Amino acid sequence: MALNFNKFATEANTFLKEYSKALNLSDDTDKAGRILSSILHGLRDVVSTQESLQLIAQFPMFLKAVYVNGWTLHKKAKIKNMTEFIDVVRAYDGVTSINDFESDDIATNYIDTTFIVLRKYISLGELEDLRSELPKELKSMIYQNIMF
């Protein structure tokens, strides 16, 4: 199988443009990319390695790359609610988090929008599997979007 990196780059750029519009960021694909990466990295801290592998099996190559970038296998984080999840997401975003995730409401909106956008790549069964691994107070970030 030949790897076509130009195709992957084109798909990624198209996705980022659509994603930035879904986040109401106009054409700020840099910010959208940081937000996407931070949310996916936060998710992988919450779910098991096995569930992460099942999830990325459904992703196109460019999303797989975002998800696994910098990944080290360790125990799941003890995140119990959305506030703690947002804190983890902000930590992954680093110094830009003050501008990228200005408030908890904006962060929650970005998280919800991310799962809506990713729905085109993730089967309903996998969304249910992810949801089943989430702490009770985080289940809504997937459940409320499962119908899309």
Side-chain angles (χ1 to χ4, degrees), residues 61-79:
M61 186 61 76
F62 69 90
L63 283 176
K64 289 177 185 185
V66 172
Y67 194 91
V68 303
N69 185 38
W71 192 10
T72 57
L73 300 179
H74 54 79
K75 292 182 181 179
K76 293 188 333 182
K78 300 289 185 196
I79 297 168

Side-chain angles (χ1 to χ4, degrees), residues 3-83:
L3 293 177
N4 185 341
F5 291 105
N6 289 331
K7 178 183 172 200
F8 300 148
T10 300
E11 289 173 351
N13 287 325
T14 300
F15 173 85
L16 273 178
K17 286 177 186 173
E18 293 171 4
Y19 182 61
S20 65
K21 284 183 180 30
L23 296 175
N24 293 318
L25 298 177
S26 187
D27 292 325
D28 194 348
T29 55
D30 289 338
K31 183 174 181 176
R34 290 190 306 269
I35 290 168
L36 175 67
S37 177
S38 299
I39 292 170
L40 290 178
H41 292 174
L43 177 65
R44 74 181 187 206
D45 277 4
V46 179
V47 299
S48 68
T49 302
Q50 180 180 351
E51 195 56 50
S52 284
L53 293 173
Q54 290 173 6
L55 173 65
I56 64 174
Q58 296 187 8
F59 280 170
M61 186 61 76
F62 69 90
L63 283 176
K64 289 177 185 185
V66 172
Y67 194 91
V68 303
N69 185 38
W71 192 10
T72 57
L73 300 179
H74 54 79
K75 292 182 181 179
K76 293 188 333 182
K78 300 289 185 196
I79 297 168
K80 297 178 189 118
N81 56 49
M82 185 59 78
T83 302

Side-chain angles (χ1 to χ4, degrees), residues 56-122:
I56 64 174
Q58 296 187 8
F59 280 170
M61 186 61 76
F62 69 90
L63 283 176
K64 289 177 185 185
V66 172
Y67 194 91
V68 303
N69 185 38
W71 192 10
T72 57
L73 300 179
H74 54 79
K75 292 182 181 179
K76 293 188 333 182
K78 300 289 185 196
I79 297 168
K80 297 178 189 118
N81 56 49
M82 185 59 78
T83 302
E84 291 176 0
F85 183 71
I86 290 169
D87 289 343
V88 169
V89 168
R90 283 185 174 126
Y92 275 113
D93 198 33
V95 295
T96 57
S97 67
I98 195 161
N99 294 316
D100 292 348
F101 298 98
E102 302 158 30
S103 70
D104 286 0
D105 288 339
I106 288 172
T108 300
N109 180 53
Y110 287 166
I111 291 165
D112 290 343
T113 301
T114 298
F115 283 101
I116 290 169
V117 170
L118 291 178
R119 171 60 189 99
K120 76 185 221 183
Y121 301 109
I122 308 170

